[in-house]
Amino acid sequence: MKSTLPGLAAVAVLAVALTGCSAGDDGGTTIEVQTNLGATDPILEVLAEVTEAYTDDHPDIEIDLVPATDTYEADMKVRLASGDVPDIWATHGWSLLRYSEFLEPLNDQPWAKNFNPALAPAMENAEGEFFALPLDTDVAGIVYNRAVLDAAGIDPASLTDWAKFDAALKTLADAGVTPIASSGKDSWFAGNIPDFMGSGGFTDEEFQGFLDGEFQADGYASLLDEVAKWQAAGYFNPDYSSATTDDLGRALAEGKTGFIMVQNYIVGTALGFDPDAELGYFPIPSDAGSPFLVGGEGRAYGVSRTSEHKQEALDYLAFLAEPENLSQLASAIGGIPGLTDATSDLGVLQASYDEFVAPGDVPLLPYFDRVYLPNGIWDTMVSTTDSIITGQADVPTAVDQMTTSFDSLHGQE
Amino acid sequence: MTATSSLTLPQRRRGSRSSASPRFARRSLNLFYVPALAVLALFTIWPLLNGIVLSFTNWNGYSPGRSFIGLENYGRLFADPIFHTALFNTFIYGFGSTLIQQVVGLALALALDRAMRGRNVARAIIYLPVLVSPVVMGTMYYLFFSYNSGGLNDLVVALGGERTAWLSDSNTAIALIVLVNSLQFVGISMVIYLAGLQSIPVMYYEAARLDGAGALQQFMNVTVPLLQPAFATSIVLNLIGGLKLFDVIQVLTGGGPGYSTNSVSTLISTAYFDNQTAGYASAMGVALFILIAVFTLFANTMLNRKRLELQ
């Protein structure tokens, strides 16, 4: 007992001393940055490195990089609803529609002049305000395995309308390759299909109709008719319901599937299975206009309007926006930088970038749901498309559900 | 000596206090309820009342503003085919799971009530899944049913069959959800019935045998009537669990394909967090609360009435 007491006292003194060293308690400032990166995500490591450089220059500021759970959106909604708002948080594509009423406009920031103009349709409101610093610009098309298409004699650049795409699917099926793969388990894959198609799948009048609050049922039905046609022909992967992102990445890398409609991160997953896989993406076919790419806001961070440390938070964002820092972050993501004065290495996707993006001939359209559909309809898009791919519902039923959801979500607060 | 002390001590206490003492004692006793009532109010009654209020709004779940829209959300419930599907599935999950758990749980209890080697080990093994998280249980079965690497398909292929996407068809998926939920919680029914069986005095069976009753007659005329309290407990517990089933569905199918395997619970989660229709989700929550309350009250009343009739 005698020997224990001094030990306990020493631990207590040490604990008090260590507590006294924290930035929050000695008059410094702690900024909470809610990332949407997992605790073991390599991008979080790079963000931590950049952040450490910032705190070295600002010893009175502590940056608390908070990793995300896999229920990031729900977590953020709960925090916003309860008033427990982080100083900075990742907007993951929703800086405008979902979070802008909580975020500080950033147009007067020193880096704002370098804002990638391709992001304007997705990130700027009617007054030209934007609310997040984009680390990268999301550019997506239809991902493919180059070796598989070469073996089947398919030139991806030639697939400019859906009839040509359908013919390519048949060619792949005849060659014994699963023509198109998606996932019911990681359900966003199913939602991505009409979302990708929808960005260039309507006339200007129809797009305006969506904005006016009228769901364009006939146009949407024509998108789902394509999906239903692929389902009826047996073009989807037979393990659709149980396939995960990893399963799809492996199938893509091993040349067991031809096409996947999802963002380019699937390429990173595929390269984990075969680093030498030849992968790329090509513009999405269109019957309403020319082929197009989709995208906009990638990984982006906004500052809370109500933050007690707003100025410090803006200063930290400005540090991330410096060209060398943003280049480092965008390279870690493998994406196109969100600011025009930064650069990045796109790796295996460089060839697709050089062919379709760099010349500037292919339009980069914002994601269909983020601009033309009300906030909250994404899950309905996922479930209705899922029901088509699995043959559980027909197109009219799916369109009816979309219409109901669209109508009810308009006017929602 | 001990008995005397225990009798005299309260008398001395009563005698040493005024006539207000019992009231004081009652008040003191009532104070012990306060923490429990506070917890109940904070975590049950307040959320329930808040949910009822929200069900009359069009709140999206996180924005500062919300508008009162009267009974609109409840009207939508009646017209929403997705809610109707979820409600139908909820009945299947509730009553299907309850039926399987009663039949299998009682059969297991009857088998393991006999003197036999390894009886305790068998009881423990059957009860063990109850201690496992439904999410873990669901994940294990998800892997078992998966198309490419699932054990079930491997077995089918080994027997010369073809792989099947078990979870792609809503009928198969619903049956599998009921099965997985039942397999996990059948141990609870078994334990309840075992306790019931062990509370039946042996003399009733001896008397029945003297009257010439066979095994089936003993079961129907002695076991079943005297197990009525156990039936009531087990059925009500299983019914509540099945009607609010969430975890297993979420892990096995996520409510899909499409909306076809949703329960009301999973649909509430989707409506609140994914569709951002918190007001509508709250209306569904209120409906589910009423549904469970009505069915459990009904089941409890009927089963207790049966027990009283037998007494």
Side-chain angles (χ1 to χ4, degrees):
Chain A
M1 188 65 182
K2 269 184 185 175
S3 61
T4 313
L5 277 176
L8 285 173
V11 170
V13 168
L14 188 61
V16 170
L18 287 174
T19 309
C21 288
S22 75
D25 290 348
D26 65 0
T29 299
T30 300
I31 296 173
E32 182 187 2
V33 181
Q34 175 61 63
T35 73
N36 65 336
L37 305 167
T40 57
D41 194 319
I43 304 166
L44 184 60
E45 286 179 30
V46 177
L47 184 60
E49 284 172 24
V50 174
T51 300
E52 193 177 340
Y54 178 78
T55 51
D56 285 348
D57 292 343
H58 302 79
D60 56 331
I61 294 179
E62 181 175 319
I63 307 290
D64 185 12
L65 296 176
V66 183
T69 68
D70 58 359
T71 55
Y72 180 78
E73 288 187 44
D75 295 346
M76 273 309 301
K77 286 171 197 164
V78 169
R79 294 195 64 172
L80 294 176
S82 64
D84 176 28
V85 185
D87 299 294
I88 296 173
W89 73 89
T91 56
H92 64 101
W94 292 99
S95 65
L96 190 59
L97 289 180
R98 186 171 300 164
Y99 299 130
S100 61
E101 65 180 309
F102 300 95
L103 292 170
E104 185 72 9
L106 300 175
N107 299 61
D108 58 354
Q109 293 302 300
W111 47 266
K113 61 183 182 298
N114 299 314
F115 185 78
N116 186 342
L119 296 170
M123 292 186 71
E124 282 186 359
N125 65 14
E127 287 74 45
E129 293 176 313
F130 64 90
F131 301 86
L133 164 67
L135 300 185
D136 68 309
T137 305
D138 177 13
V139 172
I142 298 177
V143 178
Y144 67 92
N145 183 311
R146 194 181 304 274
V148 169
L149 295 202
D150 285 349
I154 298 168
D155 174 13
S158 70
L159 307 179
T160 51
D161 60 40
W162 291 114
K164 290 172 182 163
F165 186 74
D166 291 348
L169 292 176
K170 184 171 186 320
T171 304
L172 289 174
D174 292 343
V177 175
T178 297
I180 184 166
S182 190
S183 166
K185 181 61 177 170
D186 292 337
S187 58
W188 59 88
F189 280 83
N192 276 144
I193 296 173
D195 206 28
F196 278 28
M197 297 169 86
S199 291
F202 297 93
T203 62
D204 291 343
E205 291 74 24
E206 286 174 319
F207 279 131
Q208 189 56 47
F210 281 116
L211 295 174
D212 292 340
E214 290 173 18
F215 189 73
Q216 305 298 303
D218 291 343
Y220 197 81
S222 68
L223 302 183
L224 292 186
D225 280 338
E226 281 292 327
V227 180
K229 203 191 308 175
W230 302 338
Q231 189 272 339
Y235 290 159
F236 281 102
N237 46 322
D239 64 337
Y240 166 80
S241 284
S242 62
T244 63
T245 303
D246 278 354
D247 293 330
L248 296 186
R250 180 193 288 268
L252 185 68
E254 293 177 350
K256 291 179 178 169
T257 192
F259 303 120
I260 298 180
M261 284 198 210
V262 75
Q263 287 85 358
N264 294 338
Y265 66 84
I266 193 71
V267 169
T269 307
L271 293 174
F273 291 102
D274 180 2
D276 299 325
E278 298 174 64
L279 309 173
Y281 60 88
F282 67 95
I284 298 157
S286 174
D287 291 340
S290 61
F292 58 94
L293 295 159
V294 289
E297 178 182 341
R299 288 147 192 83
Y301 286 89
V303 172
S304 167
R305 281 178 197 248
T306 57
S307 169
E308 292 177 11
H309 312 296
K310 193 187 295 180
Q311 205 48 52
E312 291 87 344
L314 290 170
D315 189 54
Y316 170 66
L317 274 198
F319 182 77
L320 295 184
E322 289 177 10
E324 64 273 25
N325 294 331
L326 200 83
S327 296
Q328 194 180 345
L329 289 162
S331 292
I333 294 164
I336 302 161
L339 300 182
T340 53
D341 58 347
T343 56
S344 70
D345 177 9
L346 301 179
V348 71
L349 295 179
Q350 189 67 49
S352 296
Y353 177 81
D354 291 341
E355 183 176 1
F356 298 116
V357 184
D361 301 331
V362 179
L364 175 62
L365 304 179
Y367 287 110
F368 171 59
D369 68 313
R370 290 185 195 168
V371 178
Y372 301 106
L373 299 182
N375 199 3
I377 205 169
W378 170 252
D379 187 73
T380 312
M381 285 185 79
V382 169
S383 296
T384 47
T385 313
D386 180 57
S387 67
I388 298 289
I389 296 174
T390 53
Q392 297 292 312
D394 55 16
V395 171
T397 305
V399 172
D400 280 350
Q401 286 168 356
M402 280 295 291
T403 307
T404 303
S405 187
F406 182 93
D407 292 342
S408 71
L409 287 168
H410 264 285
Q412 184 88 10
E413 287 186 13
Chain B
M1 179 67 183
T2 308
T4 309
S5 302
S6 65
L7 286 171
T8 53
L9 189 59
Q11 286 170 350
R12 195 185 309 141
R13 278 182 177 166
R14 277 198 296 271
S16 65
R17 293 184 187 280
S18 66
S19 59
S21 172
R23 193 185 304 161
F24 177 79
R26 265 202 311 277
R27 281 181 185 166
S28 303
L29 190 60
N30 289 345
L31 285 177
F32 285 109
Y33 293 128
V34 171
L37 284 174
V39 170
L40 186 72
L42 187 64
F43 293 109
T44 304
I45 297 172
W46 167 246
L48 177 65
L49 294 176
N50 199 32
I52 293 171
V53 172
L54 280 183
S55 71
F56 297 108
T57 71
N58 68 349
W59 192 42
N60 67 7
Y62 59 97
S63 287
R66 64 186 75 172
S67 298
F68 180 78
I69 56 168
L71 292 170
E72 194 175 303
N73 286 326
Y74 289 95
R76 189 177 156 191
L77 280 182
F78 288 102
D80 186 351
I82 296 169
F83 178 72
H84 298 163
T85 302
L87 193 62
F88 180 70
N89 293 342
T90 298
F91 286 132
I92 294 178
Y93 297 140
F95 291 100
S97 300
T98 303
L99 181 67
I100 292 175
Q101 287 174 73
Q102 302 326 301
V103 173
V104 179
L106 181 59
L108 288 169
L110 288 168
L112 295 175
D113 191 39
R114 299 161 192 270
M116 56 186 278
R117 183 177 288 178
R119 180 174 73 168
N120 291 337
V121 174
R123 287 177 183 175
I125 289 172
I126 292 164
Y127 190 76
L128 269 178
V130 175
L131 307 176
V132 177
S133 157
V135 173
V136 174
M137 192 81 174
T139 304
M140 285 167 51
Y141 276 99
Y142 176 80
L143 296 173
F144 180 67
F145 294 127
S146 83
Y147 182 86
N148 275 325
S149 53
L152 184 57
N153 271 335
D154 287 348
L155 182 66
V156 170
V157 170
L159 294 173
E162 290 188 353
R163 293 186 182 277
T164 304
W166 299 101
L167 300 172
S168 289
D169 179 84
S170 60
N171 293 325
T172 321
I174 287 172
L176 291 176
I177 288 167
V178 171
L179 185 69
V180 170
N181 182 51
S182 302
L183 287 177
Q184 171 153 30
F185 293 110
V186 74
I188 291 180
S189 297
M190 180 194 71
V191 166
I192 292 171
Y193 288 127
L194 269 174
L197 287 171
Q198 286 163 13
S199 70
I200 300 174
V202 180
M203 61 182 182
Y204 292 153
Y205 291 105
E206 290 170 350
R209 274 196 294 272
L210 283 175
D211 288 342
L216 183 61
Q217 285 173 310
Q218 287 178 47
F219 176 73
M220 295 305 296
N221 297 315
V222 178
T223 307
V224 170
L226 294 175
L227 273 184
Q228 283 302 320
F231 279 127
T233 307
S234 181
I235 287 173
V236 169
L237 277 178
N238 289 161
L239 195 57
I240 293 173
L243 288 174
K244 65 187 180 75
L245 191 61
F246 177 82
D247 324 56
V248 173
I249 306 168
Q250 202 66 20
V251 177
L252 273 183
T253 66
Y259 292 95
S260 61
T261 61
N262 268 304
S263 68
V264 175
S265 293
T266 58
L267 197 58
I268 288 171
S269 170
T270 300
Y272 198 108
F273 291 109
D274 298 329
N275 290 150
Q276 299 168 44
T277 49
Y280 186 50
S282 299
M284 283 194 270
V286 172
L288 181 63
F289 171 77
I290 293 170
L291 181 80
I292 291 176
V294 166
F295 275 103
T296 50
L297 276 173
F298 179 74
N300 221 9
T301 307
M302 293 304 290
L303 291 165
N304 279 331
R305 185 178 296 167
K306 182 76 176 168
R307 186 172 64 181
L308 290 172
E309 284 171 7
L310 289 165
Q311 284 174 346

